[in-house]
Amino acid sequence: MCGILAVFGCIDNSQAKRSRIIELSRRLRHRGPDWSGLHCHGNCYLAHQRLAIVDPTSGDQPLYNEDKTVVVTVNGEIYNHKQLREKLKSHQFRTGSDCEVIAHLYEEYGEDFVDMLDGMFSFVLLDTRDNSFIAARDAIGITPLYIGWGLDVKPKRFEKINYFVNVNKGWQGGSVWFASEMKALSDDCERFMSFLPGHLYSSKQGALRRWYNPPWFSEQIPSTPYDPILLRETFKKACSELAVVKRLMTDVPFGVLLSGGLDSSLVAAVASRHMVELEAACQWGSQLHTFCVGLKGSPDLKAAREVADYLGTRHHEFHFTVQEGIDALEEVIYHIETYDVTTIRASTPMFLMSRKIKSLGVKMVLSGEGSDEIFGVTYTSTRRLTRRSFTKKHIKSLHLYDCLRANKSTSAWGLEARVPFLDKEFINVAMSIDPEWKLIRPDLGRIEKWILRNAFDDEHNPYLPKVGHILYRQKEQFSDGVGYSWIDGLKDHANKQVTDAMLTNASFIYPENTPATKEAYYYRSIFEKFYPKNAARSTVPGGPSVACSTAKAVEWDAAWSKNPDPSGRAALGVHAAAYEEEVDAKDANLINGSPQKLPGIVEKATTVV
């Protein structure tokens, strides 16, 4: 991942302003520690912090067209850049960077080229010929992007707000800002917000429009029947050839985040099969590297080792203690820019693991995010969803939860995470299926994500071992799977930091998105220390957060209103190894050493997916 910062329409274009832009861009250097770039044109600035993955020697940004009249700063990867270059044979390319195609596509096709891009990206492009600009974000929001309005914009310009201000007017009377993370905007913009995934902003039109319009995007229920043979081949092709292999485009060392659950195990299995044929294998070797993190004795570590042994990967295990996780919380919240409880719980182990991975010289990893939402798993609601209540809202809000976690937890250490399950083609295939086949049906022996499991249940050419139940292990949250005393330790620590009186008066301190638990209060207080503005707290969705990135499970089933904890294991009657009511979390070894066995939990442990 890289870090981008762009500012348009600055009233002040002095040397002091240039220095300020450089200073703010440095706040994103963790995302791109390899090189920095800045292009100035009148009152416009485009800055870039580069993480070099493709063409490390000549792909520095900003990037340009032939005569440098079009300037672009990009965060992301364009997997089909070689195919796109074939459409641009009349253009001269300066670098081997996959992102350079954006400048030439704009030159050739105008603003309507974004749907031609296959990849994860956020970019800002300036056309110096008329001082117009566009900004766009990938279909699902895998890469982060924020938009803000400078302190020089008058308040009256915000009177008519739907989601976005009429930025064209704002640009005439004040500056418009774009950045990969809001830490680069929060001091110099009074108002800023998350840029919607699958959207493009054009200064010429002065409006935001959705460029991503797939058939599944409406709330109509798909009706494509389930054909197991056809689906198996389609899924295997979509997941293998389209989703995973294209994401092995790299000129640097890479690996796979392997939790031992279904999704990450499938990604590792597919990647390991294609290692020999990769260009990168000639330089970095044909044995796949896999990585796992957890408390000592956690379900993840055991399951990941089993999968790694089966696939023959070079496996790396990283251990952390609850206290080490607690010590990292402030830094984690600063980097991931949220106070959502579930996101913070899962981000912390990922944050710690990413530092270890980067220390090995690895710069890119594949991860299994997105599968839950595509296949109808909101975890706490998996046994309560019906065909009609199945919704696409989970995918549409991934940029606020799982994508945010996966991107910012890894980017904090200059590590790039790629997510094959969020491939556009794969999503289209999976979302065209009648959701009836995505429902849990114990009477038919179907657990969550059964159609995905069945697609790879190949007796003659097995991807994963059926012995040990890897292929059919029940889904578990990442924050649970790294070790069950992790969540208990967080709660215990928060209980010591937040008094009963503080929680009682929470609505007076935090009237917007008032925290309902001491843990939520504690995270909120840390967040507010770094990001005190109203605009910052408004970037975090309100309402109770439940497992697997949805705040809506309580609406589907009233029983969830009685469960304030978003952990999957706190949900009796949903997970086979749910916490027993009589278990006292304080009986666990919460702070130091290995987690202790809890009655009814560890004995029935399964692993994260």
Side-chain angles (χ1 to χ4, degrees), residues 344-364:
I344 294 169
R345 287 176 174 180
S347 293
T348 305
M350 201 169 193
F351 174 87
L352 296 173
M353 174 172 58
S354 297
R355 187 176 190 180
K356 288 282 191 179
I357 293 173
K358 188 60 183 292
S359 73
L360 297 175
V362 173
K363 298 177 73 173
M364 186 273 284

Side-chain angles (χ1 to χ4, degrees), residues 328-468:
L329 281 175
E330 288 206 7
E331 197 173 5
V332 169
I333 293 172
Y334 170 76
H335 277 288
I336 65 174
E337 302 181 324
T338 185
Y339 49 83
D340 177 71
V341 172
T342 305
T343 304
I344 294 169
R345 287 176 174 180
S347 293
T348 305
M350 201 169 193
F351 174 87
L352 296 173
M353 174 172 58
S354 297
R355 187 176 190 180
K356 288 282 191 179
I357 293 173
K358 188 60 183 292
S359 73
L360 297 175
V362 173
K363 298 177 73 173
M364 186 273 284
V365 291
L366 302 186
S367 188
E369 274 76 20
S371 175
D372 292 338
E373 288 73 16
I374 293 171
F375 293 102
V377 179
T378 57
Y379 197 74
T380 51
S381 62
T382 50
R383 300 194 178 196
R384 293 176 169 86
L385 280 175
T386 65
R387 181 176 182 272
R388 182 156 296 278
S389 66
F390 181 83
T391 175
K392 287 87 172 176
K393 291 181 180 179
H394 312 113
I395 301 176
K396 295 177 183 179
S397 63
L398 269 171
H399 67 290
L400 300 172
Y401 299 100
D402 287 27
C403 288
L404 179 149
R405 167 180 56 81
N407 183 280
K408 293 183 180 179
S409 296
T410 53
S411 294
W413 301 107
L415 181 68
E416 177 174 286
R418 299 179 180 177
V419 284
F421 282 106
L422 294 180
D423 181 86
K424 282 197 299 182
E425 183 65 28
F426 183 78
I427 292 176
N428 289 340
V429 171
M431 294 302 292
S432 68
I433 301 168
D434 190 326
E436 171 65 31
W437 294 99
K438 298 179 182 181
L439 301 180
I440 292 177
R441 291 289 302 274
D443 55 322
L444 299 177
R446 296 197 328 225
I447 61 175
E448 74 281 338
K449 289 188 280 193
W450 176 82
I451 56 175
L452 180 62
R453 301 174 196 271
N454 187 57
F456 286 90
D457 189 355
D458 192 332
E459 294 288 346
H460 302 290
N461 190 21
Y463 281 73
L464 295 173
K466 295 184 74 172
V467 178

Side-chain angles (χ1 to χ4, degrees), residues 12-29:
D12 174 13
N13 60 354
S14 65
Q15 178 60 39
K17 189 65 174 181
R18 179 188 176 97
S19 297
R20 178 59 175 169
I21 299 298
I22 293 174
E23 179 185 351
L24 294 173
S25 181
R26 286 197 192 109
R27 296 184 182 181
L28 305 174
R29 185 161 292 175

Side-chain angles (χ1 to χ4, degrees), residues 24-200:
L24 294 173
S25 181
R26 286 197 192 109
R27 296 184 182 181
L28 305 174
R29 185 161 292 175
H30 54 276
R31 299 185 61 87
D34 296 334
W35 198 250
S36 302
L38 175 65
H39 179 91
C40 302
H41 177 78
N43 59 4
C44 303
Y45 302 84
L46 288 88
H48 191 266
Q49 301 290 339
R50 188 185 185 203
L51 179 66
I53 303 292
V54 176
D55 185 26
T57 57
S58 69
D60 295 338
Q61 296 193 36
L63 295 163
Y64 306 89
N65 65 340
E66 290 86 344
D67 60 4
K68 292 193 173 183
T69 56
V70 176
V71 191
V72 62
T73 180
V74 189
N75 168 33
E77 304 289 346
I78 309 302
Y79 303 125
N80 64 335
H81 73 104
K82 290 184 179 180
Q83 296 92 315
L84 291 173
R85 284 178 184 240
E86 291 297 312
K87 299 177 181 290
L88 299 164
K89 288 186 176 180
S90 62
H91 293 257
Q92 293 182 348
F93 285 79
R94 299 171 179 271
T95 75
S97 169
D98 55 294
C99 295
E100 189 181 345
V101 294
I102 293 176
H104 299 290
L105 286 170
Y106 172 81
E107 202 175 18
E108 186 75 19
Y109 299 100
E111 296 180 352
D112 297 324
F113 71 89
V114 183
D115 199 28
M116 299 171 66
L117 302 176
D118 181 8
M120 56 179 185
F121 55 83
S122 295
F123 70 81
V124 182
L125 181 149
L126 171 66
D127 188 339
T128 63
R129 294 168 295 190
D130 58 5
N131 271 9
S132 64
F133 66 89
I134 62 173
R137 190 177 183 186
D138 66 63
I140 306 299
I142 301 169
T143 61
L145 185 65
Y146 294 83
I147 182 173
W149 293 268
L151 300 176
D152 49 5
V153 178
K154 297 179 181 180
K156 67 179 181 180
R157 298 188 181 277
F158 298 104
E159 290 175 359
K160 296 181 180 179
I161 295 179
N162 181 6
Y163 183 85
F164 270 71
V165 179
N166 185 325
V167 186
N168 193 42
K169 292 181 180 178
W171 188 43
Q172 297 298 324
S175 54
V176 184
W177 298 57
F178 299 90
S180 295
E181 297 180 4
M182 66 182 179
K183 56 179 61 68
L185 305 180
S186 55
D187 289 342
D188 289 61
C189 296
E190 188 61 35
R191 194 174 197 91
F192 49 89
M193 57 189 71
S194 179
F195 194 102
L196 281 174
H199 281 68
L200 176 142

